[in-house]
Amino acid sequence: MIIYIKLKKKDGTHISFTNILGFVFEKEAYTPYTTFRANVFGNGLPEDFTELEFYINGTLLHHGTADTCKKINEGGGVRGYISSRGFTSLLTENQLPPGNYTDMTLNKLFDSYFSLPNITHESSNTRSYIFVNKGTPMWDGAVNLAYKLTGAYPYIRKANMFMISMPENAKNVTYTLDNVINYGTELSTKRMISHYHMADISGNYGTYEYVGTEAAERNLIRHHHFDLDRRFLHSPESACKFRGDISARGYKRRFFTYNGYNGEDLNDIVTFEDISGQRVKAMRITGSQKGVFTELSVYDDAMSVT
């Protein structure tokens, strides 16, 4: 297995590192970007760089900003510690001008407002509208558009490719107990909201409401009130449901870990034990002197498109 990182300097030249002491790569369906962090033998590591690329067996998994870089001289050696977020993180850091955007398409949203580096997107000219409040990040506008068009949350595939539909070329793989190192489940209900109440156009509450039965059945009684959401004027009830679905995202997770990395990506299809042909919703690849290990997760929630 060939693993290396490539750093781009300000002058446009690149430096590659294969002497990686340890790394963690993470990708998750509801996170707008991939993350990568590593510690390396620091000899030759530049004190400043602009981009980081991470490869396994020639496949680019991560291409991102240079978030942090630290070099430590100790005991006659040099160690470097670096971290990076995928370039799609810039979608959360650029704000659209406020207003009502009619006849919005995914192509128009990504191609007409900002020129953001190294980000690609699925091609779609299906139209809807989005309403942008002051200070709204571009990512939130894209999420709103994706929900209107597909009823689901957008995600990042490959390195920095924004997607709203399922991949046509999804891998379909099966693992057995003989293949895996560990497996398990995780429950997280800390984000769940039981009740959403939205005001109508006159400011009165009670017309538009949502009850999250899963939260209520767990006695997680959390009431949230908000003003009329102009993003959902075509279907006001959806404003409450959207928030409810988001609050319960990924609350049930099943996962397993295997040795190596076999090329999976978000929304590829996996089967293992009681996981039967489900979409990958999170992946975590770690590397150290002990080897390379991949953890794949599937979710049970309302936001996942199959």
Side-chain angles (χ1 to χ4, degrees), residues 169-233:
N169 58 341
K171 291 174 65 75
N172 193 330
V173 295
T174 298
Y175 290 91
T176 68
L177 288 172
D178 294 332
N179 305 133
V180 306
I181 298 169
N182 61 50
Y183 62 97
T185 63
E186 183 178 19
L187 174 70
S188 178
T189 63
K190 59 186 179 182
R191 289 187 299 242
M192 276 189 175
I193 304 300
S194 60
H195 297 76
Y196 277 105
H197 312 273
M198 185 177 76
D200 60 21
I201 198 168
S202 300
N204 301 313
Y205 292 94
T207 303
Y208 308 113
E209 300 193 335
Y210 165 89
V211 178
T213 55
E214 187 70 35
E217 288 172 358
R218 297 173 183 274
N219 286 326
L220 299 173
I221 306 305
R222 298 162 178 156
H223 287 262
H224 283 202
H225 295 75
F226 60 99
D227 293 335
L228 179 68
D229 190 338
R230 297 181 182 277
R231 297 176 302 171
F232 292 93
L233 290 179

Side-chain angles (χ1 to χ4, degrees), residues 87-190:
F87 275 103
T88 49
S89 63
L90 298 177
L91 296 173
T92 69
E93 298 165 357
N94 286 273
Q95 298 175 354
L96 291 169
N100 190 33
Y101 293 72
T102 60
D103 294 325
M104 178 60 75
T105 70
L106 191 64
N107 292 350
K108 184 186 297 184
L109 180 63
F110 275 84
D111 300 337
S112 300
Y113 296 98
F114 301 110
S115 179
L116 300 179
N118 304 305
I119 297 175
T120 60
H121 62 87
E122 174 182 352
S123 180
S124 173
N125 281 309
T126 305
R127 299 178 181 276
S128 187
Y129 83 95
I130 59 174
F131 181 83
V132 176
N133 288 308
K134 184 177 181 180
T136 297
M138 186 174 178
W139 175 260
D140 289 1
V143 168
N144 183 232
L145 180 62
Y147 188 74
K148 285 189 172 81
L149 296 179
T150 68
Y153 207 83
Y155 66 99
I156 306 302
R157 192 165 165 87
K158 299 182 179 179
N160 302 306
M161 185 174 187
F162 181 94
M163 297 283 293
I164 62 173
S165 62
M166 292 298 101
E168 296 180 355
N169 58 341
K171 291 174 65 75
N172 193 330
V173 295
T174 298
Y175 290 91
T176 68
L177 288 172
D178 294 332
N179 305 133
V180 306
I181 298 169
N182 61 50
Y183 62 97
T185 63
E186 183 178 19
L187 174 70
S188 178
T189 63
K190 59 186 179 182

Side-chain angles (χ1 to χ4, degrees), residues 28-29 50 73 79 103 137 144 172 182 194 206-207 233 253 264 276 300:
E28 197 267 341
T50 61
N73 292 271
R79 285 202 176 195
D103 294 325
N144 183 232
N172 193 330
N182 61 50
S194 60
T207 303
L233 290 179
R253 179 173 80 100
E264 292 92 356
S276 180
D300 295 317

Side-chain angles (χ1 to χ4, degrees), residues 4 7 34 67 93 97 115 117 132 176 183 186 215 219 227 240 265 279 295 303:
Y4 66 96
L7 306 180
T34 57
D67 281 347
E93 298 165 357
S115 179
V132 176
T176 68
Y183 62 97
E186 183 178 19
N219 286 326
D227 293 335
C240 293
D265 202 345
R279 301 281 184 176
E295 180 189 89
M303 293 297 289

Side-chain angles (χ1 to χ4, degrees), residues 61 171 173 175 258 261-266 268 270 280 283 294 296:
L61 274 73
K171 291 174 65 75
V173 295
Y175 290 91
Y258 68 85
Y261 170 61
N262 295 329
E264 292 92 356
D265 202 345
L266 292 186
D268 282 340
V270 294
V280 174
M283 50 192 294
T294 300
L296 301 179

